[in-house]
Amino acid sequence: MVADAHSPDVQGSSDNIPINPDKPSFDSDEVPAKDAQAGLQQVEAITAVWSKRSLVLAYVLIFVILFVNSLQEQIASQLTPYVYSDFALHSLVPVTGILSSIIGALIKLPVAKILDVWGRSYGFGFMVLCCVLGLIMMAACNDVETYCAAQVFYWVGNNGILYVLNVFVADTSSLKNRALMFAYTTSPYIVTAWLGGPVATSYLGGAGWCWAFGTFALVVPVVCAPLLILFQYNYNKAKKAGLVPDRGRGRTLPQSLKYYAIEFDVIGILLLAAGLALFLLPFSLHTYQPLGWRSALVISMIVFGALLIILFAVHEKFWAQKTFIPFSLLTDRTVLGACVLAGTLFVSYYCWDSYFTSYLQVVHDLSITQASYVGNIYTVGSSLWALVVGLLVRWSGRFKWLALYFGLPLQILGVGLMIFFRQPGWSVGYLVMCQIFIAFSGGTLVICEQMAVMAASSHGEIAVVLAIESMFTSIGSAIGSTVSAAIWTSTFPVSLAAHLPAAEQKNLHSIYEELTVQLSYPVGSPTRKAIDMAYGDGQRWMLTAGTAVLVVGLVATAAWRDYPVKDFKQVKGTVI
């Protein structure tokens, strides 16, 4: 599977070009493009000089990093309720959770430019630093303010590490193998999905949650350092070979500031990041305003956010000297279609997933552990199936057929069937079946949408288009969560009031607000049956919305070009 640029089957000129006297010579096909940004030139220089052994070692190190990162995520998700319980009286905690998740998603936009302008190593090192700083702050925090600040640093670093590694995989894999390599990056979840609970329980019963974060503050830099060292070693090797052009000499400080402001498209990034932040925050924060959606603050944030996003598009089209993303890609039917699909999938998922664990505990009387096992079906199933999808893309040389004729129909089937089966009286086995359908379809669609944006782009645009695709998932999750909350608040209490016995009507508010109160009523009692019926009514409408929105994804996917990835040569040097 490893393709070497020295092989005769690689397209390109066979003329040897001496880069420096008394230095190795390279085929013209291996030489970094002269007009490319510095970060892209660096990674192309590295892949030109490193050996197959270094390439394999890099992927082994990536797997180790992703394994530790995914285990850390699973443990953190289990510990979060216990951390929050220590700060239960502080309303700042959920607000900061919203802010940190949005900032963690938006950080990929400027990081994409760091990767292209300064290089992959700088971006990766910066993200590791942010993650470790967040973990140290969480381990040492004694108050809610420190913990909230730590969450922001942690999610910026955590999301950034995953993003940079995905870009690196794209840099070092041919397009026909890239689907399989992207599936490889999600494979650690197959194991870590089951380890998070036991490890978190062990920490809670022993050293405490602070030491859980403290342990990973030590482990993360240790497992990330070897990959950085490998990058730097091969970068120095490429520099000695004369493959890395010398930039930046002779510029004064003002000239350097101007140069990087243009290269980073600072105005464009600020417009887009500020616009998205203003647009997304009200979807989560409107519940903290007395007037909700009618609040002047909420309305003004949405309006100004939308205006800034429009202004970003105008800036990229007419004013930017170096565009954040080529305007032609913003309107390309494959890139736009893949991004719309990504957003649609997250709208659908968050429409029905928000109250899924509560539903399983109340209606099916599952324990927290049993409910987590059902929830993990998607994580494990999609990660396993993604490997199969990667092999199918490599075998067929195309990806659109998998998304359009398999992934989306199966997704619609799985979510649609839950409208019927996620009701009181049905066995949990039917829900497991639906979750398997959704897992297989999700594993297919996530890989295919990423392949679509990359196939429609050049190598120099990959970091940016992956960031844009991620941005659409953030928008989708915000919209989906809002739709879910709106349906829940308008159906569950009304249905609960209609089904509750007269003697329990006085407890309507506490039953509605607290899961522990719902679980306190015996299974089979009139009140528990009334709660089950209310859950069923709310779930039915959330799943209906989640199924209906998938039609948008079907149209968006049909618009893709059917790229033959076997015939594409997108990256240079020794790659997989």
Side-chain angles (χ1 to χ4, degrees), residues 264-297:
F264 275 95
D265 187 18
V266 171
I267 295 175
I269 289 178
L270 289 175
L271 286 173
L272 184 59
L276 287 171
L278 288 173
F279 185 79
L280 292 176
L281 278 173
F283 286 95
S284 299
L285 299 182
H286 70 278
T287 54
Y288 298 95
Q289 297 297 313
L291 297 178
W293 287 108
R294 293 176 296 169
S295 166
L297 177 64

Side-chain angles (χ1 to χ4, degrees), residues 128 132 216-227:
V128 171
V132 172
F216 281 101
L218 298 173
V219 171
V220 169
V222 171
V223 299
C224 290
L227 186 62

